[in-house]
Amino acid sequence: MALRLSTLFLRTLREDPVDAEVASHRLLARGGYIRRVAPGGFAWLPLGMIVLRNIEAIVREEMNAIGGQEVLFPALLPREPYEATGRWEEYGDNLFRVKDRKDADHLLAPTHEEVFTLLVKDLYSSYKDLPTILYQIQTKYRDEARPRAGLIRTREFIMKDSYSFDVDDDGLAESYRLHRAAYVRIFERLGLEVVAVSADSGAMGGSRSEEFLFPTAIGEDTFVRSPGGYAANVEAVTTVVPEAVPYDDAPAAVVRNTPASPTIESLVRQSQELHPREDREWTAADTLKNVVLKITRPDGEHVLVAVGLPGDRNVDIKRLEVSIGDALEIQGEIEVEQASDDDLRSRPLIVKGYLGPGLNLGEPLLGEKSVTGIPYFVDPRVVEGTRWVTGANVSGQHVYDLVAGRDFTWDGTIECAQVLPGDPAPDGSGPLEAARGIEMGHVFALGRKYAEVLGLKVLDQNGKQVVVTMGSYGFGVTRAVAALAEAYHDDKGLIWPRAVAPADIHVVATGKGAEFMAEAEKIVEELEAQGLKVLFDDRAKVSPGVRFGDFELLGVPTMLVVGRGLADGMLELKDRATGEARDVRRDGVGPEVAAAIRG
Amino acid sequence: MALRLSTLFLRTLREDPVDAEVASHRLLARGGYIRRVAPGGFAWLPLGMIVLRNIEAIVREEMNAIGGQEVLFPALLPREPYEATGRWEEYGDNLFRVKDRKDADHLLAPTHEEVFTLLVKDLYSSYKDLPTILYQIQTKYRDEARPRAGLIRTREFIMKDSYSFDVDDDGLAESYRLHRAAYVRIFERLGLEVVAVSADSGAMGGSRSEEFLFPTAIGEDTFVRSPGGYAANVEAVTTVVPEAVPYDDAPAAVVRNTPASPTIESLVRQSQELHPREDREWTAADTLKNVVLKITRPDGEHVLVAVGLPGDRNVDIKRLEVSIGDALEIQGEIEVEQASDDDLRSRPLIVKGYLGPGLNLGEPLLGEKSVTGIPYFVDPRVVEGTRWVTGANVSGQHVYDLVAGRDFTWDGTIECAQVLPGDPAPDGSGPLEAARGIEMGHVFALGRKYAEVLGLKVLDQNGKQVVVTMGSYGFGVTRAVAALAEAYHDDKGLIWPRAVAPADIHVVATGKGAEFMAEAEKIVEELEAQGLKVLFDDRAKVSPGVRFGDFELLGVPTMLVVGRGLADGMLELKDRATGEARDVRRDGVGPEVAAAIRG
């Protein structure tokens, strides 16, 4: 049955909604696909429903193709399992918490790891039952601080979430690979060019995680990429380690008074005269900046650490938070902040602004843990033989030609510095550039965390109980609609890819009279007989201009105009994306249009 | 792709779950269709999902067939529109209320009248836009005091809710008729025999409402029905009014001392000797019981009324609550309870236990409003000329041969009495019997209440603003699964109707060996080539007994056994419902089975 504009629950809008910040929101609202009904809450109108269901169908097919089995959980879940894994607290304000009439705590689940784990525990007990992949396409909730950008960040949204259950690491790797491949196929079918971004460096105990980002300036996630195809979250970028430098001929370290050098820039400027370098001018990258940081461990205890990094870049707290756990052998979530004056009061040997690494100049210095008790880590660029300008641990003095490995040592190397545009990609694929994107999907080799806490074990081949290892895989269905609208539009409206379009063909009848309309109806029937889904502009008293404008706004890929040419047995077929038009004969229009559409 | 028991996420259970009170819960849980994960919260497992989707598809088709357009609203909605219509309060504890991080009030919607009204207000403005029917198939929430009976009463469930919008009463009547017809077709296609029950008597301002109940002893809703097909909520039953009785020859009323008659039974017993009736013995139905009730108006004010009804039945408070509004000309919700001693303290003329109607015996009596100020209503059986035994308004005395219309009058007739088994159906279709049922659907001609409050008006043909009139129509998808399981099972398991079954055919391979299994696979392929959905028991090392038991438990309508007969080119086809089996030839098994299944 054709969708008919005369009765379709739809009013296209000429004006942008005042609250629409981004193109997808603007055009989906103007085209009557969605309607905002609450902060971060949208109603899907009939055309929007079709696009949504088309996407769901593709996701479902690809999940089924990798052996996924569809289930459906409640969104409203009891607190207990989320309490057990710590997520009841961890989610903080992002979680909608609900009390029932008996004052029992519930939540509107943002994701379902806990209950899937318990379900599999409930039904399965042997390695023979595994591997298993379960998924649902379901409404999720997040109490966003700032719902924004239309469908991109809402408080209620549809996601496909799946979970894999394997008996060992190889199994998990295979389930992960299957999901990753399925996601690649889904994005291909949707026509959405995404970037698979490593979400962490792999340093966190062998787990693996990638985000599929749709690159766009309006994205909320930042990442870096190279011309050669490398892409990663900034947190996951590993620094390319320079080779060690021979230092037999390096000049000896020397301390200088540097009275007017409060900043790296002023230090560099002053150094050109005060202690000129033999081969070239000093740059900020030659200075070694040392920073004391306060680490809050998962148990709430504080630890101080110092990090040394080239002075042309700042400490990246987020990168540090990811890498510091391994360096200090701490499990769990770690918070990092710059140490305050208060934190340093009990450590008078730390001279603010003139902090240097351990150094054999007869002074008690930072690098010697016996004195300060503070571990000292350096950026990977600090390799043996590199020469640095750095603080002398005496107010108003810096030291020059301090050679790493000769004049100071460190407790470890750590990713602590900003990634800057132009930095080399770790895989040698060229210089990195910063980019923004929308997270469309996430594949995550979870490992045994949830199974451990919730007691999901199976008997292995030797009759021994083993903890199951899991993966968790999310795909944002709601968000995919937004990303497609961002990717496929022009200033006149939407241009849907065929795979998700609300119809195959948009038929516009520009003539009048009962006879003319009867013929248009017949043409629609002939198109439908070919299995085409038709959106039929059968409205009375609407000008051709409005009709064509609505075609461009609504974004069905192809239009068939039934107009004046009908008298001569001709119709016009027009492509929304290219604007190209060509005549087609009235006779045999069904097969002809079907062939044109199906390529 | 066949569903394969070797990999299907399913464990059939031999034992009933301890918490399963009803057959549907027991069998759906044992068959691995659903799994309880929270109080009143169930996960749908793969087979359950298929049944659920099959039902949804039927509902969707029938809604589309009456011109319904599918949309989808959030479940989490802001308080304001529900505040405006008063439902934020009215729902009481049944509503899940949620505060967001900014402390703003939200609810998990049990039904969506308010936001559909606002959506149509948002888009439409003219009578030309109407009629419109919008629907969604969506997750709903109710904070049930006692979730029970598996899927029958849950806290989160899937419903189809639709809403019609019309410019006038005739339009609403047509939208109502369309929905009613669509529901009848849905139930027919599901194979669910339901009873359309008038939910109110039509006395409430012309609105109309019917519930579709699935009759079952485990139902929570009571209703009455007649052999001739009448069915109604007890509240909606109208009493068949007897004809007036000539009373020219009736004896005069006479007061007697009735010292030992605290109850109707003792009064009746005593009366046979004390004041024998000329034609037959007295019965409880000859006594007129008068009861003083306290009415709480919507504004919280109290009013006393008295009702007189035959002594063989009690006051039915719920029926009275429905009918009293019209009688007293009160709009809105009314509460009724029996007047307490406290309520009657200021009315010394009311003699408890000996209360009679207005009566010309020289005493100041109840029926005379000038004295007591209490309006007096009677049951419709109290018609002119009927003779009664009733209280004499004097302690220890009753009056006999009190004739309605001769000896006392009343302020109005009201439905206030219990409906008893054997009472005549109002439409003359025979004696009523009590029954129980599960509410599967509800069609409700809402009228203008929501549109009025929320300002949904359109311009009519004369350019005048008119308030839109609405209907609201619910269908319980989750509940339909339960009702079907209740309707179609035996002591061995489920017996799905074809329209909703998780598969068309259940193939059991009872032989062993690679060659045998390869042949079974080929047979499955041949069945699938016919478009049949196959559930294939391809498990290794499972006894035929367990396989047949699972077939009976899971309830696919037909089984094909690939067993020993295969050597002779024969297979066995078995019907789950009848248990009948017949041989079919291996050659051409696909078309043969398809024909058998499609009838």
Side-chain angles (χ1 to χ4, degrees), chain A residues 1 6-11 35-39 41-47 49 52-53 60 64 69-78 93-102 106 108 115 119-120 122-124 128-129 132 134 137-139 141 143-147 155-156 158 541, chain B residues 1 6-11 35-39 41-47 49 52-53 60 64-65 69-78 93-94 96-102 106 108 115 119-120 122-124 128-129 132 134 137-139 141 143-147 155-156 158 541:
Chain A
M1 295 250 299
S6 63
T7 50
L8 192 64
F9 187 67
L10 172 74
R11 284 293 170 271
R35 195 85 193 163
R36 187 177 172 281
V37 293
F42 288 84
W44 295 91
L45 305 191
L47 288 187
M49 281 300 288
L52 192 67
R53 295 297 187 226
R60 188 170 280 123
N64 292 347
Q69 302 191 50
E70 189 171 4
V71 302
L72 182 65
F73 269 86
L76 184 71
L77 294 173
D93 282 348
N94 288 318
L95 194 64
F96 279 112
R97 295 178 179 81
V98 186
K99 280 192 185 294
D100 72 8
R101 61 161 73 210
K102 289 171 185 153
H106 292 72
L108 291 173
V115 286
L119 180 66
V120 171
D122 209 11
L123 263 69
Y124 278 177
K128 292 180 202 161
D129 300 326
T132 287
L134 301 176
I137 297 178
Q138 197 231 22
T139 303
Y141 296 86
D143 193 355
E144 293 290 348
R146 276 171 300 279
R155 302 207 293 186
E156 177 169 344
I158 299 173
K541 298 182 192 169
Chain B
M1 295 250 299
S6 63
T7 51
L8 192 65
F9 187 67
L10 172 75
R11 285 294 169 271
R35 194 85 192 162
R36 186 177 174 280
V37 293
F42 288 85
W44 295 90
L45 305 191
L47 288 187
M49 281 301 288
L52 192 66
R53 295 297 187 227
R60 188 170 280 123
N64 292 346
Q69 301 191 50
E70 190 172 3
V71 301
L72 182 65
F73 270 87
L76 184 71
L77 293 173
D93 282 348
N94 287 319
F96 279 112
R97 295 178 179 81
V98 187
K99 280 192 186 294
D100 72 9
R101 59 161 74 211
K102 290 172 185 154
H106 292 72
L108 291 173
V115 286
L119 180 66
V120 172
D122 210 10
L123 264 69
Y124 278 177
K128 292 179 201 161
D129 300 327
T132 287
L134 302 176
I137 296 177
Q138 198 231 23
T139 303
Y141 295 87
D143 193 355
E144 293 290 348
R146 276 172 301 279
R155 302 207 292 186
E156 178 170 343
I158 298 173
K541 297 182 192 168

Side-chain angles (χ1 to χ4, degrees), chain B residues 284-339:
Chain B
D286 297 318
T287 68
L288 182 65
K289 182 196 288 187
N290 294 290
V291 182
V292 183
L293 298 155
K294 182 164 78 169
I295 309 295
T296 307
R297 299 163 51 110
D299 58 10
E301 289 283 300
H302 301 301
V303 191
L304 293 183
V305 303
V307 296
L309 69 163
D312 63 337
R313 53 188 85 212
N314 292 321
V315 170
D316 184 321
I317 295 285
K318 282 196 165 179
R319 279 168 55 74
L320 191 50
E321 280 174 345
V322 170
S323 59
I324 195 76
D326 275 5
L328 295 177
E329 292 175 3
I330 300 172
Q331 300 272 328
E333 211 144 309
I334 292 166
E335 265 180 58
V336 176
E337 59 196 312
Q338 191 148 359

Side-chain angles (χ1 to χ4, degrees), chain B residues 486-509:
Chain B
E486 290 291 339
Y488 294 100
H489 73 267
D490 58 20
D491 56 349
K492 292 171 192 158
L494 298 157
I495 311 167
W496 294 110
R498 290 223 169 268
V500 302
D504 295 314
I505 182 135
H506 184 131
V507 175
V508 170

Side-chain angles (χ1 to χ4, degrees), chain B residues 256-262 267 270-271 274 354 394 396-400:
Chain B
R256 302 256 181 224
N257 284 323
T258 49
S261 57
L267 173 65
Q270 207 176 11
S271 300
L274 200 64
Y354 295 90
V394 175
Q397 295 191 350
H398 280 86
V399 56
Y400 289 87

Side-chain angles (χ1 to χ4, degrees), chain B residues 212-224:
Chain B
F212 289 86
L213 299 183
F214 167 67
T216 164
I218 62 156
E220 298 188 306
D221 288 311
T222 54
F223 69 106
V224 291

